[in-house]
C-alpha cells in the first residue's frame, strides 16, 4: 500500500493556558493566554508546518474548546478525520507557568484519554511511516490499551514506532505501572525521546546516563535521545554507539513549553529524510531553539523549512 501519511501522532489534545508572568509560579500568575496543546498535537502541527502529512488521533469535548481545537488544526493542515468529539467529557485543559526552565503545570483531564481502537484502522496504519505517542497518553485507559495494541500492529506492518517518555507523577502517580506499560510499548523497538527531568520523575532519583541507556535498550528501544537542556543532547544507538552534542546558543528564552516536541518533530522529520545522526540532531536542535524564542507553538507566519536550511 502506498505510504501517503508521514506521521500518525496519537494521544492528548488539550488546551494549554500559559501564564503571562515569566518565572512566576501558578499561585502568583494572574493572567493566561489560550494555546492549542498536548505533546502529540504539537508534533502533528509541527510536522505539517514542515510539509509532512500528519494525522492526529485524539479525542476532545464537543464544546467551544473542541471547536477551537479543530479550527487551529485545520488551519495548520493537520488531518483531523481521526479525532472524535465526545459529548460525554469536556475538553481537557492544562494551566502552565511561563518559564525559562521546566514549567509548572496543573492538568484537568477529561476527554483526552477517551481514545478508542475504532479511531486507528489497519488501513490508516498501512498508509503511514511513523507511529508516535507519549507517556502522558499511555497513562489512562482506554487510550492506553488502544495505543499499545495499535503500536504492535504498526510494528508488524513495518512502521517506525516512536515515543516521548514525558513521564510526570502528577499525571501517572503509579510509577511501577508506568514502567510496566512502557515495557509493553518498548517491545515494538521504538525510537525514544526523554529528558533529564523525565528520567528523574520516572525513577524518583537521579540516574547516570549509562543506566538510562541500558534500561531502555534492554526493554527494546533501538535509539534513545536524552535531552539535557543547556547541557545538550546525548544519543545512544544500539548499533552505532553513544554520541554527545552541545546545545545551540540562544540569546533569549521566551517559553519552554513544547520545546521538546519541536526537537522531536525535527528528529522524526530528519529520519524520514534519511539524514545522518549529526544532521538529524542539528535539525532537531534548530527547531527547538526556534520554539524557545516563541510563546505557544512554532511561529505561524514563517517558512520553517527555509529557517532550517539557513546557516
Amino acid at each position: 500500500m502506498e505510504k501517503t501519511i508521514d506521521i500518525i501522532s496519537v494521544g492528548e489534545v488539550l488546551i494549554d493556558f500559559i501564564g503571562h508572568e515569566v518565572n512566576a509560579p501558578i499561585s502568583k500568575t494572574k493572567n493566561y493566554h489560550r494555546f492549542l496543546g498536548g505533546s502529540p498535537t504539537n508534533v502533528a502541527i509541527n510536522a505539517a508546518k514542515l510539509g509532512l502529512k500528519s494525522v492526529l488521533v485524539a479525542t476532545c469535548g464537543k464544546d467551544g474548546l473542541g471547536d477551537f481545537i479543530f479550527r487551529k488544526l485545520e488551519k495548520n493542515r493537520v488531518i483531523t478525520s481521526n479525532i472524535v468529539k465526545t459529548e460525554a467529557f469536556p475538553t481537557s485543559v492544562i494551566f502552565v507557568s511561563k518559564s525559562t526552565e521546566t514549567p509548572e503545570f496543573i492538568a484537568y483531564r477529561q476527554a483526552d484519554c477517551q481514545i478508542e481502537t475504532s479511531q486507528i484502522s489497519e488501513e490508516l496504519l498501512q498508509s503511514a511511516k511513523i507511529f508516535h505517542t507519549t507517556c502522558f497518553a499511555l497513562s489512562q485507559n482506554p487510550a492506553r490499551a488502544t495505543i499499545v495494541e495499535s503500536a504492535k500492529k504498526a510494528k508488524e506492518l513495518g512502521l517506525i514506532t516512536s515515543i516521548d517518555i514525558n513521564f510526570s507523577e502528577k499525571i501517572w502517580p503509579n510509577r511501577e505501572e508506568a514502567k510496566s506499560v512502557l515495557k509493553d510499548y518498548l517491545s515494538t523497538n521504538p525510537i525514544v525521546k526523554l529528558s533529564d527531568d523525565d528520567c528523574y520523575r520516572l525513577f524518583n532519583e537521579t540516574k547516570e546516563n549509562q543506566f538510562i541507556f541500558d534500561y531502555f535498550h534492554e526493554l527494546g528501544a533501538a535509539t534513545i535521545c536524552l535531552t539535557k537542556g543547556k547541557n545538550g543532547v546525548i544519543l545512544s544507538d544500539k548499533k552505532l554507539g553513544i554520541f554527545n552534542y552541545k546545545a545551540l546558543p540562544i540569546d533569549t528564552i521566551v517559553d519552554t513549553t513544547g520545546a521538546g516536541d519541536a526537537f522531536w518533530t525535527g528528529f522524526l522529520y530528519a529520519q524520514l529524510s534519511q539524514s545522518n545522526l549529526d544532521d538529524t540532531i542539528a535539525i532537531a536542535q534548530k527547531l527547538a531553539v526556534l520554539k524557545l524564542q516563541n510563546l505557544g507553538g512554532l511561529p505561524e507566519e514563517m517558512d520553517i523549512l527555509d529557517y532550517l536550511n539557513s546557516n
Side-chain angles (χ1 to χ4, degrees), residues 201-252:
R201 290 190 292 257
L202 181 62
F203 297 109
N204 203 25
E205 61 181 351
T206 301
K207 293 292 189 181
E208 296 293 329
N209 296 334
Q210 194 59 56
F211 173 92
I212 294 165
F213 295 140
D214 289 344
Y215 181 89
F216 290 108
H217 280 317
E218 287 173 10
L219 292 182
T223 303
I224 302 164
C225 204
L226 177 61
T227 60
K228 303 177 76 64
K230 63 183 179 181
N231 294 318
V233 178
I234 305 177
L235 186 145
S236 179
D237 184 273
K238 275 186 176 180
K239 295 180 180 179
L240 301 176
I242 296 177
F243 303 85
N244 290 270
Y245 298 90
K246 293 181 179 179
L248 296 183
I250 179 169
D251 294 330
T252 303

Side-chain angles (χ1 to χ4, degrees), residues 1-6 53 79 126-129:
M1 187 172 180
E2 184 182 0
K3 298 289 188 180
T4 56
I5 302 298
D6 293 300
K53 294 292 184 182
I79 298 168
Q126 287 176 333
S127 69
K129 301 172 185 176

Side-chain angles (χ1 to χ4, degrees), residues 7 39-52 54 76-78 258-266 269 287 291 296-299 304:
I7 296 176
S39 179
T41 303
N42 293 338
V43 169
I45 291 174
N46 295 343
K49 288 181 177 180
L50 290 171
L52 301 178
S54 67
N76 284 286
R77 302 182 302 281
V78 173
D261 302 326
F263 175 92
W264 199 237
T265 309
Y269 170 82
L287 211 59
K291 166 62 202 77
L298 293 174
I304 308 297

Side-chain angles (χ1 to χ4, degrees), residues 102-161:
T102 301
E104 178 190 1
F105 71 90
I106 302 174
Y108 297 90
R109 297 187 67 185
Q110 294 286 340
D112 74 272
C113 51
Q114 303 301 314
I115 302 173
E116 303 287 351
T117 54
S118 58
Q119 292 172 247
I120 309 175
S121 66
E122 185 164 320
E123 182 180 5
L124 173 63
L125 293 174
Q126 287 176 333
S127 69
K129 301 172 185 176
I130 292 176
F131 181 95
H132 172 70
T133 194
T134 65
C135 197
F136 188 115
L138 293 172
S139 63
Q140 290 189 26
N141 279 312
R144 175 191 303 164
T146 296
I147 293 168
V148 171
E149 177 186 336
S150 298
K152 291 179 178 179
K153 286 182 183 177
K155 185 62 180 178
E156 291 174 2
L157 294 169
L159 279 74
I160 298 169
T161 57

